[in-house]
Amino acid sequence: MSNRFECPKCHASVLFHQGDAVARCPQCGAAYKLHPRRAAQPVLMPPAGRGVTDYLTVPNDSLIRNRPLLQCYLPKGWQYQCLLVDNRFDLVSNPFVAAVILTAPDDSARIVFVCESFYRHIDYTPQTAMLQNRLDDLTVSRTPSFFRLKSLVSAGEYCDELAQTYGLSSLTVTDERQPDEEELQVQRRAVQEYRQQGFRDVAAGWAGKTYSGVSQYGQRLKIYAETRVIRFMRLSNVRTMEMAPVYGMFGVRMMPQMVARQQEDIFWDTPYEISMMATEEAFDAAYAELQRVRQSVQFLPGMEQARADAMNLAQSTVMNISQAQSASFDRRAQIIADTNAYTSNVQRQMAADNAASHNRSANRYSESIRGVNTYYDSTGVVEASTRYDHVYQNTQYPDWYAVQEGDGWQPGVDFEELKKTDGDY
């Protein structure tokens, strides 16, 4: 019995027989692994190398599909896969990290090559440790949180971390290589380039280690890990919200203020990392293939453009977050300042009203003792004995006044009656 399905890559008709393990497209040559019981659900098998240097892309990413990113030697018959690594960066590092995974035909060896990763050093604190634990709880991978929250390590320590990700027990170092003259020249060039970019305290290191361990099935395996680590530092101005003393009429109060401070930012770059796990019998042959892969890797303009686009997106996102936080801090500081100013004005007005009340009470007390009442005239305040019920001022001659007991006399239009004060003068 035969069946057909449409090739997802070129849409050609692929014929297969029930019971077949693999079906191959007659038009594009893509190979598909067939489920033994569900023949209608073929799975695309990873392509195999031809023993030559070939171009690689990430087929499962819609933005960069069919865009050549790098080229390298692909061992003949080895299955290969190019993909993006999603757990090797934090919020300020390289958001575009490509990797190539190579698997031997008999599954006796596996090589993983990871492109450049760029990190900012994060100091170990209880808060970062708590976040690392949360990340480890959320992931089903054996990859430790070291790859998500980066603290600066040496090249040798980085290799140790790579070896531990394979999950072998009784892991021990059996051999450690030293950098040759060619590697030292590469390090010197890298240090010089970073210094020309304005970075300080630039240092580079390299390590290549071989490990031996036991798998969960009791099989003894060997691991080789290699990487280069470049450390550098630069000074940056950072605005932070801090509590600062503010002096006013009511004493010293602590208020939040934006303060610009200079801090040292430590970064580190791993231009590449390569690891391999193999059986003891296949290790030497696989190691030779690994060296050919390492020496042939070349990044293409498409890789640099994709990385630049991703970096610009990440930097703009971080900038937008920073601007939003700064605006929030400014709004908070302005709200607190407005509230304090309003409170100060109310307290100042209360003090002024209290002082005016005391003055009025004192003035009224003085008037009662002296037996006078005070009136507002055109030039200020005048006093008159309490025996008079009305006080008038001449409109033509302000120094002329008239007083009256009772209500029987009308002074005429030349006089204007004065208004009695309430002690408020």
Side-chain angles (χ1 to χ4, degrees), residues 111-321:
I111 299 174
V112 179
F113 180 91
V114 179
C115 299
E116 184 176 25
S117 301
F118 182 74
Y119 304 99
R120 176 180 177 182
H121 170 69
I122 299 176
D123 289 323
Y124 181 84
T125 63
Q127 290 76 15
T128 57
M130 184 183 303
L131 182 56
Q132 286 178 346
N133 294 334
R134 289 182 59 187
L135 290 171
D136 287 336
D137 292 339
L138 293 175
T139 181
V140 296
S141 170
R142 289 196 304 254
T143 304
S145 56
F146 163 81
F147 288 116
R148 291 183 290 272
L149 291 177
K150 286 283 190 176
S151 295
L152 178 63
V153 295
S154 64
E157 293 171 327
Y158 199 107
C159 290
D160 295 339
E161 296 285 350
L162 289 176
Q164 292 172 9
T165 61
Y166 286 94
L168 300 185
S169 60
S170 304
L171 192 66
T172 57
V173 179
T174 60
D175 183 55
E176 186 169 355
R177 293 177 55 195
Q178 299 298 321
D180 53 20
E181 183 57 32
E182 180 182 357
E183 170 60 28
L184 294 177
Q185 290 181 1
V186 172
Q187 294 182 26
R188 286 192 286 267
R189 287 196 298 267
V191 169
Q192 185 64 25
E193 290 176 359
Y194 275 108
R195 285 177 176 170
Q196 290 176 353
Q197 297 175 17
F199 292 100
R200 303 167 55 184
D201 299 339
V202 186
W206 179 92
K209 291 185 176 183
T210 303
Y211 306 81
S212 177
V214 180
S215 70
Q216 58 180 336
Y217 304 106
Q219 184 182 20
R220 181 160 292 279
L221 302 173
K222 298 181 71 174
I223 296 174
Y224 176 77
E226 177 184 318
T227 190
R228 182 187 306 123
V229 174
I230 305 172
R231 173 192 179 277
F232 46 94
M233 183 269 290
R234 71 180 176 191
L235 298 176
S236 61
N237 293 322
V238 180
R239 296 185 66 199
T240 59
M241 180 70 73
E242 296 184 2
M243 300 300 293
V246 176
Y247 300 89
M249 63 178 296
F250 298 104
V252 181
R253 284 185 287 181
M254 302 299 293
M255 293 180 57
Q257 293 184 354
M258 292 298 298
V259 180
R261 295 191 179 277
Q262 195 173 60
Q263 70 176 19
E264 293 184 351
D265 288 331
I266 299 176
F267 299 89
W268 52 304
D269 178 16
T270 57
Y272 75 95
E273 62 185 64
I274 192 166
S275 61
M276 178 189 71
M277 183 173 67
T279 61
E280 291 185 329
E281 298 78 11
F283 181 82
D284 292 338
Y287 181 79
E289 298 287 11
L290 179 147
Q291 293 302 318
R292 295 187 66 178
V293 171
R294 176 186 178 277
Q295 295 170 4
S296 64
V297 172
Q298 181 179 358
F299 300 144
L300 302 177
M303 168 76 80
E304 299 303 323
Q305 183 60 46
R307 288 187 56 198
D309 294 342
M311 287 294 288
N312 290 335
L313 177 61
Q315 291 174 358
S316 62
T317 301
V318 172
M319 187 178 300
N320 292 336
I321 294 175

Side-chain angles (χ1 to χ4, degrees), residues 338-394:
D338 292 343
T339 302
N340 290 334
Y342 175 77
T343 303
S344 299
N345 292 336
V346 171
Q347 292 176 340
R348 190 179 298 107
Q349 186 62 44
M350 290 174 59
D353 293 344
N354 187 50
S357 176
H358 283 293
N359 290 336
R360 287 194 298 271
S361 299
N363 292 338
R364 296 300 298 274
Y365 184 67
S366 174
E367 293 172 2
S368 64
I369 292 177
R370 294 184 289 113
V372 297
N373 290 323
T374 54
Y375 298 86
Y376 294 114
D377 70 353
S378 60
T379 59
V381 178
V382 295
E383 295 181 351
S385 174
T386 55
R387 59 181 288 190
Y388 302 115
D389 298 312
H390 302 277
V391 176
Y392 303 90
Q393 183 180 27
N394 192 290

Side-chain angles (χ1 to χ4, degrees), residues 70-90:
L70 68 157
Q71 61 179 9
C72 71
Y73 167 78
L74 301 175
K76 187 174 182 178
W78 286 50
Q79 293 182 345
Y80 65 90
Q81 183 181 10
C82 186
L83 68 156
L84 296 180
V85 185
D86 59 356
N87 60 355
R88 296 296 177 96
F89 54 88
D90 52 49

